[in-house]
Amino acid sequence: MFEHPFSNSLRAYNSLSDALTEFKKQQPEQVTIDTAIARGYFLPEEDDSLWSLVSRYLTIRNGFWELINEMSAHFSDDTYNVKTQDDWRYFLLGYASSCQVVGMARLLVDVLAKHKLVQRKINEGSPQNRISNRVFTNIYQSLSDADNAIKMQYMMNFVDANRNYIERLKSDDFIGPIVQELNELETSLHPSQRAFIKLRMQYLRHAITRRFAVSKQLSTFFILEKAGRVIADIGDSHNKRVTADIQQQALAIMQPGDVIITRHDFVASNLFLPGYWPHAALYIGTEAQRQQLGIVLDDDIANRWMGEIRTLEAKKDGVLFRPLSETLQVDEFVVLRPNIDNAEMAKALQRVSRHEGKGYNFDFDFFRSDQLVCTEVIYRAFDGLDINDQDVPLDDVSLDTGTPEKIEFKLIERAGRFSLSAEDILDMAMQQRGFNVVAAFGFQGCVNQLTVADKAHELVRTSYSSKIAFT
């Protein structure tokens, strides 16, 4: 049976339209975004939710653009060549797709990302979701671009001039249903001249503000990066007190997901980081342990988590998989264990591994997730995960819903930025809020040997001046 070549394009348009209708119903994710706006930053799960939303949005938008380009090729992007009934079918499908693209741009600018916090987050981009930076600004610019407006007005005039003929196509077997909804689709194309000028001015203010903010951020980051790299190299990087024997003892008791808090005795960076304990890394285990937990990764990431790789750690050279011998080339360390089950652990390690390969955030800004600081690896792995209720007192579990307590990191504003220090994580272990101390080495009480369990917990308690009162 013969099938008109136009049928495939029509099916694609209908599928995209259905997907867009479903997308507009995503109220739970909008509630999540509103919660983040009220707080002032996105939690890791909210981050993932937003990028899921943006990814679906861009997939639908790109699909309509592919149809526009495909339809335009049939009449060489010149309405003068629209003559036959087939030509009109291709033109009207492209025109309807253009209406959808403009409507989607308005949806992003006026609804989804009307708040500056969301605009900034979307502009950040998400490499793991293959979303480039400046997405919001680029779409905003396209919507307010004068040349684009003129081209769209030309198409609108062409449609208006041929409205009588187009109306007769309502009975066409192929394009009829689209012609019947054309008036509704065109509602996104008719801003007044005043409204367009207002939109253009709003975009220009956005662009100028963003240019200033990005320039300031880049210059600040440049200074901090240069200073950070110099400071990181000042100190004794050799003659560490954690010997190969101590490393082997630690390796024998460590499990995937353990958090390693470390300190060097004589490095300049200790002077610039809060607290006695300045650094954190994540023990991810071996390839065999990864497979045992059922962690599924992209091939390129999995191929880098092999051999001697045991940790994921953010240092001046970036967020990288590293051997434990490198992570424990320190003078003192504490090992913390998250109180979560295997299913939650697999989720934690799977989602945090997607951040491998990103740069180090010398600006210590937890808002952005395209670059990470050392403790942010821990934060983005475990925040929001369910605590294993087998070891949690009954009072800590909701009796009404049966919902388990979750690991919740409380970001603290320092120098105008929300952040998390290594000692903030230790505070959680001291209070047993999702973490327990399993081992310690290098400071008073455990200078010559690895100490474990309750004794390690008590030694850590005295190793630094906590900001909280322990009970």
Side-chain angles (χ1 to χ4, degrees):
M1 181 178 177
F2 174 76
E3 184 177 54
H4 196 289
F6 184 75
S7 298
N8 287 333
S9 300
L10 185 60
R11 276 195 294 269
Y13 176 86
N14 290 333
S15 295
L16 288 167
S17 297
D18 291 342
L20 180 56
T21 299
E22 287 300 311
F23 176 84
K24 291 177 180 178
K25 296 177 182 178
Q26 301 301 313
Q27 292 302 316
E29 282 156 319
Q30 185 60 52
V31 170
T32 299
I33 292 171
D34 292 340
T35 302
I37 291 172
R39 184 189 306 108
Y41 61 89
F42 287 82
L43 299 177
E45 284 194 335
E46 293 168 347
D47 231 26
D48 293 342
S49 180
L50 176 65
W51 289 126
S52 174
L53 195 71
V54 173
S55 181
R56 293 202 302 279
Y57 172 92
L58 292 176
T59 298
I60 297 169
R61 183 176 184 272
N62 291 340
F64 280 124
W65 266 114
E66 289 177 6
L67 277 177
I68 292 170
N69 294 330
E70 181 185 341
M71 298 303 99
S72 296
H74 281 275
F75 50 89
S76 302
D77 201 24
D78 188 344
T79 54
Y80 179 79
N81 297 322
V82 180
K83 297 176 180 178
T84 68
Q85 187 171 10
D86 261 359
D87 293 336
W88 274 104
R89 287 168 174 162
Y90 287 115
F91 169 79
L92 289 171
L93 187 60
Y95 180 64
S97 298
S98 298
C99 294
Q100 298 279 31
V101 166
V102 174
M104 289 190 72
R106 296 192 185 282
L107 175 66
L108 180 69
V109 172
D110 298 336
V111 180
L112 299 178
K114 61 183 178 182
H115 194 279
K116 290 183 179 179
L117 190 84
V118 185
Q119 296 171 12
R120 179 185 167 194
K121 174 57 71 174
I122 295 176
N123 268 333
E124 176 187 300
S126 175
Q128 66 264 36
N129 291 290
R130 295 176 176 80
I131 298 173
S132 59
N133 61 1
R134 299 188 78 252
V135 163
F136 174 81
T137 294
N138 289 339
I139 293 176
Y140 199 174
Q141 180 183 30
S142 176
L143 180 63
S144 63
D145 183 77
D147 288 341
N148 288 344
I150 291 171
K151 292 176 183 176
M152 205 68 213
Q153 186 64 54
Y154 177 80
M155 276 207 299
M156 290 163 60
N157 292 341
F158 178 73
V159 169
D160 287 339
N162 294 274
R163 188 70 67 176
N164 290 336
Y165 176 75
I166 292 173
E167 285 293 314
R168 293 200 295 272
L169 291 176
K170 284 184 176 180
S171 59
D172 184 82
D173 291 338
F174 295 101
I175 202 65
I178 293 177
V179 173
Q180 292 176 28
E181 65 177 11
L182 209 55
N183 289 337
E184 181 180 351
L185 289 172
E186 288 177 313
T187 56
S188 63
L189 306 181
H190 294 284
S192 66
Q193 187 176 26
R194 173 182 286 184
F196 180 79
I197 292 173
K198 181 180 178 181
L199 174 68
R200 183 63 182 169
M201 294 302 294
Q202 288 173 335
Y203 165 74
L204 291 174
R205 282 197 297 272
H206 163 82
I208 292 170
T209 302
R210 184 179 186 279
R211 192 174 296 119
F212 174 78
V214 169
S215 176
K216 181 181 178 181
Q217 183 182 52
L218 288 175
S219 59
T220 302
F221 184 83
F222 176 79
I223 294 170
L224 292 173
E225 179 185 18
K226 294 299 181 185
R229 291 185 184 278
V230 170
I231 291 169
D233 289 333
I234 298 176
D236 184 6
S237 59
H238 306 287
N239 304 316
K240 294 301 175 183
R241 291 191 290 109
V242 176
T243 63
D245 182 56
I246 294 296
Q247 289 187 15
Q248 286 302 311
Q249 291 179 40
L251 181 61
I253 66 170
M254 291 175 69
Q255 298 177 9
D258 284 353
V259 176
I260 309 171
I261 308 294
T262 65
R263 174 181 169 84
H264 296 273
D265 283 344
F266 303 108
V267 294
S269 59
N270 287 346
L271 302 174
F272 300 92
L273 295 171
Y276 182 82
W277 294 98
H279 187 71
L282 179 64
Y283 183 77
I284 56 176
T286 65
E287 181 185 5
Q289 288 173 319
R290 178 189 83 207
Q291 293 172 349
Q292 186 177 11
L293 284 169
I295 297 171
V296 179
L297 301 173
D298 292 341
D299 288 343
D300 58 337
I301 297 178
N303 289 336
R304 291 193 292 276
W305 183 348
M306 298 177 69
E308 294 301 312
I309 292 302
R310 298 288 190 278
T311 65
L312 179 63
E313 184 178 9
K315 300 200 293 188
K316 65 177 182 178
D317 55 347
V319 185
L320 300 175
F321 292 134
R322 306 175 193 273
L324 182 64
S325 57
E326 178 182 333
T327 298
L328 286 184
Q329 191 178 3
V330 295
D331 294 300
E332 308 170 39
F333 69 89
V334 176
V335 179
L336 309 178
R337 182 158 297 157
N339 185 16
I340 58 178
D341 63 22
N342 286 345
E344 291 291 86
M345 184 61 71
K347 179 180 178 181
L349 297 181
Q350 184 166 306
R351 74 178 184 179
V352 78
S353 296
R354 299 201 304 267
H355 296 287
E356 188 269 339
K358 292 183 177 181
Y360 185 78
N361 188 351
F362 289 93
D363 201 19
F364 292 87
D365 184 359
F366 269 56
F367 180 87
R368 57 190 302 182
S369 57
D370 57 334
Q371 298 172 331
L372 272 60
V373 71
C374 66
T375 52
E376 196 171 0
V377 172
I378 314 305
Y379 169 64
R380 296 196 175 276
F382 298 113
D383 188 75
L385 297 187
D386 293 342
I387 293 175
N388 189 348
D389 60 8
Q390 290 182 349
D391 299 318
V392 177
L394 186 61
D395 290 344
D396 291 337
V397 181
S398 171
L399 297 178
D400 295 330
T401 65
T403 302
E405 185 185 4
K406 295 181 180 296
I407 294 179
E408 181 180 354
F409 295 93
K410 296 186 183 300
L411 301 188
I412 298 173
E413 191 169 356
R414 299 178 173 97
R417 293 175 176 83
F418 287 101
S419 64
L420 179 76
S421 73
E423 290 198 356
D424 293 336
I425 302 173
L426 282 174
D427 286 346
M428 296 175 68
M430 292 297 96
Q431 294 178 314
Q432 295 184 315
R433 291 192 293 112
F435 294 90
N436 297 308
V437 177
V438 296
F441 173 83
F443 48 94
Q444 186 174 1
C446 54
V447 174
N448 299 315
Q449 62 183 3
L450 186 71
T451 303
V452 299
D454 291 343
K455 185 177 180 180
H457 179 98
E458 290 304 315
L459 291 175
V460 172
R461 179 194 294 270
T462 60
S463 72
Y464 69 106
S465 299
S466 177
K467 298 172 289 300
I468 62 174
F470 297 123
T471 58

